[in-house]
Amino acid sequence: MTVSLYETQRAMRQRRSAAMKKGLVAVLDIGTSKVGCLVLKFDPEVQAAAKQDGVGALGNHGDFRVIGAATTRARGMEFGEIVVMDEAERAVRTAVQAAQKMAGVRLDHVIVTFSGGRPRSYGVHGQVEVEEGAVSEYDIGRVLAECDVPDFGEGAREAIHALPVNFMLDGKSGLADPRGQMGTKLGVDLHLLTVGARTIQNIMHCIKRCDLELCDLAVSSYASGLSSLVEDEQELGAACIDLGAGTSGVSIFMKRQMIFADAIRIGGLHVTRDICQALHVSEQVAERLKTFHGGLIATGADDRDFIEIPSPLDEAAGERRRVSRSELIGVIRPRMEEILEDVRAVLDASGFEYLPGQRIVLTGGGSQLQGIEELATRVLGRQVRRGKPLRVLGLPQAATGPGFSSVVGLALHTVHPQDECWDFEMPVDHLGNRSVKRALRWFKENW
Amino acid sequence: MQSLRARRDPAPSLLRYRLGRLWLRPSVRRIVMFGPMTALLLGVTFHVATSKTIRAGMAQTVSDLRTAIVGREEFKVSSLAVYGASEDLEAEVVRLAGLTLPMSSLDLDIASLRDRLEMLPSVADAAVRVGSKGVLQITLSQRVPVVIWRMSDGLKLAGADGVVLGEVASRLDRVDLPVIAGMGADAHIPEALELLTMLEPVVSRLRGLQRVGARRWTIVLDREQEIYLPENGAKRALARLMALHASEGLLDKDVAIVDLRDGLRPVLRLGAYAAEVHRPYQLSFEGDGQ
């Protein structure tokens, strides 16, 4: 585990707890096609009541209330990464300002999710001897520090999530929380998720330029999985496929832990561009054709269903072209098949077939395409359902579609954050002198 | 399909964004909302408080305004009317009020005028009000003399509450009033008046009532006949005497003093003649003893 990241993540945790104490946090989803922002207001009374009733973990979406929501067209983004800083910053400012206006409060702390940066999962294992009879928090910190981290490209990539998904105590596996249990040998399975360092740095810089304080970061496929998978699916094992505009994220959950995440760099935007090229229309027209008339399963009726499209050359001349709906489907379908085949390859590589639960949930804006369930079932070979994000208090109707599953999931993640590696105290001997210097330098560069 | 234009979604400029965020700070918002107003108010107050000309002008304006209001026709008091007073008392009231009519009712201090009128001995109660048509109405209830109080320095007239209302040179000036005398008589005039009503059968012989030792009454009739009344229960004692007089004509007889101070029996002192007439019986009574 790199020390620098450990320190930055801890700093972010502190800021987040400060924000939670203030009762006001904004969650921001920086996507390829849209930037969404929700303002969450926490009611300490509701939280206390939920804790007393003992339903805190189940009814976690009751703890907060959405008091502001805004979305705006994303600018300067490609594959979920910032390519034009000014434009991306402008998009964030637009969304934040609109959300602030709706909520009537000033936002200071923001939690960000993004889909780019080529997330990569590593399963990491560590083992130590328990110092005293019962496992203490210190032992957990030690075992987490003991994990042998693979060389994921020091400097070029950063760990964004480090989730202890499973603990083992003397050969007994499947422990969620070993604290206080008796044993001698403590082992841990750590899910380490890394993304490109430049992507994170760009996002940090962008947030900083908007006068906001970054409290936490999450990968969007993780956030979408949190909001669109129901409890049973998270418990028994399920995959969430977030069909975004620039990327399609895949996350696999098991025992309420994310055990795998990946993203394919093809998305709905590519479908739109295919339509642009095939039908010679502008991108806006193609987007409209896709959302209004698009589909994936052609029937005989679609041959006779003609769609009028404007000429790209001379709109004023009034020349009209007609395209049958099956033609449009013929353009969309190969690209969707390609996406789903890539998803299948990712799922195969992840060992999804060995999980007890085999549910696959499609979410994200692309999942609204007609016939995607049939196509996905055919390509992925498993039962597939379409998932919408969990309902949360105060969310506007316009933001309840599948396209908002990652931002809603981020809100849920904010309320009940998963314990991560940096929530535990690491032993001092792992914080070498050199690393501290490097951490300081990293701080200076980024904050 | 109609031509499409991307929905406008203009991004705020950095300055506007920052100003918007600044505006959302409650403290900034409060300062901007109330700051200028407060500053202006404070400035104006300070300027007014420190500038002599403005203060003088304000005082002038206020006094002008007051004069204008006071001088209005509606507030004018043009005449004075006194009710319930004799002529000489009315003249005294007018002199005492000392009003230069016409004047404004706002300048008139009615309460003090009323107090001053009530200080007059012959005024028991005064009501002063400004009536319609600018008439200042003074309604008095006048004290009337009920007895003549004989004192060492002359005869005084006294009201029912013992207040001295004036002097008379001679008893003959006010033959309608009874005479009382003695120290402390003024405090018991109502009792004296009640006793006088009971003395109706002998009123032609009445000389007056004398307060003795500032504690009891003695009725003085002509022929130097006196009736000593007790301190307490004077009325009952007198009623008993008047009953005796009605049945036996006691007071017509030669009795010098009827002493009623002993509640059990009246004690008589005979006159000189009667004593002479009765002496033989007395002697024989004495002789019987020998």
Side-chain angles (χ1 to χ4, degrees):
Chain A
M1 195 72 37
T2 59
V3 173
S4 67
L5 190 81
Y6 175 78
E7 292 296 332
T8 29
Q9 290 276 18
R10 281 192 78 103
M12 286 206 282
R13 284 292 156 124
Q14 276 174 9
R15 266 184 301 221
R16 187 172 73 180
S17 60
M20 297 286 273
K21 228 172 260 171
K22 242 177 88 183
L24 198 73
V25 182
V27 294
L28 192 66
D29 173 22
I30 305 177
T32 317
S33 71
K34 71 169 164 51
V35 175
C37 180
L38 299 183
V39 185
L40 312 182
K41 190 182 165 69
F42 295 93
D43 192 351
E45 282 179 28
V46 174
Q47 270 176 332
K51 232 168 239 170
Q52 274 181 349
D53 296 348
V55 294
L58 291 171
N60 57 6
H61 47 278
D63 290 357
F64 63 91
R65 192 181 168 84
V66 178
I67 58 167
T71 46
T72 183
R73 185 165 47 86
R75 297 94 149 155
M77 300 289 292
E78 234 167 59
F79 303 115
E81 294 159 11
I82 295 172
V83 288
V84 187
M85 180 57 82
D86 272 357
E87 294 281 313
E89 188 197 321
R90 225 169 273 163
V92 170
R93 280 210 308 262
T94 312
V96 167
Q97 198 189 37
Q100 278 183 157
K101 195 173 176 185
M102 180 172 166
V105 290
R106 180 191 156 96
L107 302 178
D108 289 318
H109 301 273
V110 67
I111 295 176
V112 172
T113 178
F114 60 97
S115 58
R118 298 176 191 269
R120 204 175 295 158
S121 280
Y122 298 90
V124 180
H125 186 74
Q127 201 170 36
V128 286
E129 297 279 328
V130 177
E131 280 196 341
E132 286 158 26
V135 178
S136 64
E137 201 140 314
Y138 176 67
D139 288 320
I140 293 177
R142 270 174 60 230
V143 74
L144 289 171
E146 208 59 42
C147 289
D148 44 351
V149 177
D151 180 22
F152 52 71
E154 199 75 22
R157 296 182 72 79
E158 291 284 358
I160 182 167
H161 292 297
L163 306 159
V165 292
N166 183 27
F167 286 97
M168 285 151 292
L169 201 56
D170 293 342
K172 185 169 180 278
S173 181
L175 300 174
D177 185 0
R179 275 175 298 178
Q181 296 191 36
M182 308 301 284
T184 51
K185 250 186 200 168
L186 179 68
V188 68
D189 285 322
L190 191 71
H191 175 208
L192 188 68
L193 192 67
T194 64
V195 293
R198 294 286 158 264
T199 311
I200 295 188
Q201 283 163 6
N202 277 340
I203 281 173
M204 283 174 167
H205 188 57
C206 176
I207 296 300
K208 197 175 132 193
R209 279 174 62 161
C210 291
D211 303 335
L212 297 165
E213 273 194 88
L214 187 65
C215 294
D216 201 3
L217 281 166
V219 171
S220 78
S221 49
Y222 177 36
S224 336
L226 283 176
S227 71
S228 52
L229 295 183
V230 298
E231 294 272 323
D232 286 1
E233 290 167 342
Q234 285 187 14
E235 183 71 39
L236 295 173
C240 172
I241 298 168
D242 181 2
L243 296 168
T247 56
S248 300
V250 179
S251 59
I252 299 175
F253 281 74
M254 173 79 186
K255 292 204 166 178
R256 293 169 197 257
Q257 302 280 358
M258 180 177 67
I259 55 170
F260 178 81
D262 203 344
I264 303 146
R265 288 161 81 80
I266 322 175
L269 209 58
H270 298 87
V271 175
T272 308
R273 283 181 190 154
D274 284 351
I275 298 170
C276 281
Q277 286 183 358
L279 303 181
H280 293 279
V281 289
S282 69
E283 201 167 309
Q284 281 125 33
V285 175
E287 182 69 30
R288 196 179 166 87
L289 284 175
K290 181 181 81 174
T291 51
F292 274 83
H293 306 282
L296 290 167
I297 310 289
T299 61
D302 291 332
D303 289 337
R304 297 185 295 279
D305 188 1
F306 287 98
I307 307 155
E308 268 195 10
I309 52 173
S311 161
L313 302 171
D314 187 10
E315 284 186 31
E319 188 197 339
R320 297 273 163 182
R321 288 185 296 145
R322 277 151 44 104
V323 181
S324 77
R325 188 160 180 248
S326 49
E327 263 181 90
L328 183 64
I329 290 171
V331 176
I332 296 171
R333 181 160 174 149
R335 183 60 87 171
M336 284 314 291
E337 276 178 351
E338 187 194 347
I339 293 172
L340 289 170
E341 272 161 15
D342 281 5
V343 167
R344 187 193 172 123
V346 166
L347 287 180
D348 286 349
S350 69
F352 179 60
E353 57 204 301
Y354 303 115
L355 291 188
Q358 297 282 316
R359 295 295 296 271
I360 294 176
V361 177
L362 295 173
T363 186
S367 72
Q368 296 172 89
L369 213 54
Q370 255 178 28
I372 187 113
E373 282 156 306
E374 288 92 328
L375 186 70
T377 307
R378 203 172 298 166
V379 174
L380 302 175
R382 288 184 190 86
Q383 206 186 358
V384 169
R385 76 168 179 93
R386 243 185 270 196
K388 274 173 88 175
L390 208 64
R391 285 193 207 172
V392 293
L393 208 62
L395 193 69
Q397 178 66 34
T400 52
F404 293 86
S405 57
S406 62
V407 71
V408 173
L410 188 61
L412 299 177
H413 174 64
T414 308
V415 181
H416 281 265
Q418 189 73 46
D419 276 346
E420 298 210 25
C421 172
W422 20 83
D423 289 327
F424 298 97
E425 293 290 339
M426 290 277 208
V428 184
D429 56 320
H430 285 268
L431 304 169
N433 189 24
R434 222 184 92 247
S435 317
V436 171
K437 263 186 200 158
R438 209 172 55 183
L440 286 174
R441 201 188 67 219
W442 203 83
F443 258 90
K444 273 181 200 159
E445 280 171 9
N446 289 290
W447 302 97
Chain B
M1 183 176 237
Q2 68 270 47
S3 66
L4 289 166
R5 217 171 292 139
R7 197 162 60 87
R8 295 252 311 137
D9 192 4
S13 68
L14 195 58
L15 183 70
R16 203 177 150 177
Y17 173 75
R18 288 206 170 130
L19 283 177
R21 282 171 61 74
L22 198 66
W23 181 238
L24 282 171
R25 278 184 187 278
S27 56
V28 170
R29 186 174 276 220
R30 226 173 295 138
I31 288 169
V32 172
M33 300 276 268
F34 300 112
M37 197 53 86
T38 314
L40 192 72
L41 218 63
L42 282 177
V44 167
T45 314
F46 183 74
H47 182 67
V48 166
T50 49
S51 160
K52 271 184 186 160
T53 53
I54 289 181
R55 274 165 61 195
M58 277 169 69
Q60 183 62 42
T61 314
V62 167
S63 72
D64 285 354
L65 197 66
R66 193 190 135 76
T67 315
I69 291 172
V70 162
R72 285 187 69 88
E73 194 64 27
E74 288 82 352
F75 297 120
K76 203 166 94 176
V77 174
S78 49
S79 62
L80 178 68
V82 181
Y83 302 103
S86 59
E87 269 181 30
D88 46 349
L89 180 62
E90 187 176 334
E92 183 157 11
V93 164
V94 170
R95 189 187 57 77
L96 190 71
L99 302 174
T100 49
L101 296 173
M103 66 184 296
S104 171
S105 63
L106 296 179
D107 290 333
L108 200 62
D109 190 353
I110 283 180
S112 86
L113 178 58
R114 179 172 171 273
D115 289 346
R116 272 186 291 150
L117 289 177
E118 285 190 346
M119 301 243 285
L120 282 178
S122 49
V123 174
D125 193 24
V128 181
R129 69 186 197 94
V130 178
S132 60
K133 291 176 184 165
V135 178
L136 181 66
Q137 297 173 350
I138 299 176
T139 310
L140 300 173
S141 66
Q142 200 178 345
R143 271 198 194 98
V144 285
V146 290
V147 289
I148 298 173
W149 187 14
R150 179 184 293 278
M151 296 176 79
S152 55
D153 55 345
L155 297 171
K156 315 269 183 192
L157 292 171
D161 48 0
V163 177
V164 174
L165 302 175
E167 290 188 9
V168 281
S170 159
R171 171 76 178 90
L172 298 176
D173 289 349
R174 296 298 296 264
V175 286
D176 54 326
L177 298 181
V179 180
I180 61 169
M183 198 197 280
D186 54 338
H188 295 273
I189 291 173
E191 192 190 10
L193 294 176
E194 278 178 56
L195 295 176
L196 283 169
T197 57
M198 296 171 73
L199 284 169
E200 199 60 44
V202 291
V203 74
S204 53
R205 294 182 52 208
L206 186 68
R207 294 282 304 278
L209 272 73
Q210 187 181 10
R211 192 75 179 166
V212 178
R215 61 192 164 84
R216 64 174 192 86
W217 288 108
T218 291
I219 301 167
V220 182
L221 303 176
D222 60 357
R223 294 198 276 115
E224 296 189 0
Q225 200 168 40
E226 290 182 358
I227 303 167
Y228 293 0
L229 293 176
E231 273 174 64
N232 302 313
K235 269 161 70 184
R236 254 189 71 217
L238 186 61
R240 195 171 163 193
L241 175 65
M242 292 325 286
L244 265 176
H245 175 64
S247 60
E248 312 218 355
L250 178 65
L251 295 175
D252 297 336
K253 296 179 175 167
D254 186 16
V255 177
I257 291 167
V258 183
D259 189 348
L260 300 171
R261 288 177 295 179
D262 186 351
L264 294 175
R265 63 184 76 83
V267 178
L268 307 181
R269 185 193 296 171
L270 300 178
Y273 170 74
E276 212 49 47
V277 169
H278 279 270
R279 191 173 298 275
Y281 307 106
Q282 209 170 358
L283 283 174
S284 79
F285 179 74
E286 281 171 359
D288 278 350
Q290 287 175 348

